[in-house]
Amino acid sequence: MKEKEQELLSLIEKEGRMESHHLAKMLDTTIDDVEDMLRSLEKQKIILGYSALIDWTKTDIQENVTAMIDVKVTPKRGVGFDAVAERIYRFKEVKALYLMSGTYDLSVAIEGKSMSEVAQFVSEKLSTLDSVISTTTHFQLKKYKHDGVIFTEDDDDDHRMVVSP
């Protein structure tokens, strides 16, 4: 991978909406070069998509319930965790899936319209898979920071307790 492509990826990872002419200036190259690099990186499936980070609490739209589920599984001979992971990530409710080190094997992030819907997913779809040994579900109560973006209100007041000798 070329150095300019690496720089371009770093820039759009932080701010995916940056316009080509701004990227060209920052990379000291032409707009056409930037657009060619973007098309090439998309074609190679290095850039998989562009998304917005939305604070749903500030809208009139009902927020979904988000849950992180720790899953212990029995890996399959010859394919390890990949086969069970593929079965899990194909469910429409699954937003993210990670192989983890530590006490559990997989971390599954899901969204549902209610806690009941999440519970139904766990009991009827996830825990019924042959390789799944156990699950532990954690519900997200409040989002403070995601992908480096802080979600709490900005106030410049320093709320630290004053400590003096």
Side-chain angles (χ1 to χ4, degrees):
M1 177 174 285
K2 299 175 188 165
E3 186 177 330
K4 289 280 187 205
E5 288 176 331
Q6 289 177 347
E7 290 178 52
L8 176 62
L9 289 172
S10 293
L11 289 170
I12 65 170
E13 183 179 35
K14 290 180 186 136
E15 178 57 56
R17 290 188 53 179
M18 221 179 278
E19 295 181 21
S20 296
H21 69 276
H22 290 302
L23 291 167
K25 282 182 185 176
M26 295 172 87
L27 295 170
D28 193 28
T29 190
T30 67
I31 294 172
D32 288 339
D33 285 347
V34 166
E35 291 173 353
D36 287 344
M37 281 190 284
L38 287 170
R39 274 192 296 278
S40 172
L41 293 166
E42 289 167 358
K43 187 177 178 180
Q44 296 174 62
K45 302 242 186 268
I46 294 171
I47 297 175
L48 299 173
Y50 303 88
S51 64
L53 197 52
I54 299 168
D55 187 349
W56 290 105
T57 62
K58 295 181 180 176
T59 69
D60 295 335
I61 299 169
Q62 176 64 38
E63 265 188 279
N64 284 334
V65 173
T66 302
M68 295 298 296
I69 306 166
D70 302 337
V71 185
K72 286 186 184 181
V73 298
T74 304
K76 300 248 183 203
R77 173 167 268 132
V79 290
F81 296 101
D82 295 345
V84 70
E86 183 177 349
R87 289 194 64 198
I88 294 170
Y89 70 61
R90 293 197 180 280
F91 291 119
K92 67 177 174 50
E93 298 89 347
V94 176
K95 300 301 174 196
L97 175 64
Y98 307 98
L99 178 62
M100 306 296 288
S101 64
T103 346
Y104 56 92
D105 303 305
L106 299 172
S107 180
V108 183
I110 72 161
E111 283 185 3
K113 294 190 184 323
S114 66
M115 291 176 87
S116 298
E117 191 175 286
V118 171
Q120 186 175 7
F121 168 80
V122 173
S123 65
E124 294 177 10
K125 293 181 179 179
L126 185 59
S127 51
T128 59
L129 295 175
D130 292 339
S131 298
V132 173
I133 298 168
S134 69
T135 65
T136 304
T137 303
H138 308 273
F139 288 97
Q140 177 182 299
L141 302 177
K142 183 175 180 179
K143 188 181 297 186
Y144 293 101
K145 186 175 182 178
H146 183 82
D147 283 344
V149 177
I150 297 172
F151 278 72
T152 58
E153 293 294 320
D154 284 334
D155 67 16
D156 294 331
D157 297 337
D158 189 352
H159 297 287
R160 294 180 289 180
M161 184 185 306
V162 176
V163 178
S164 58

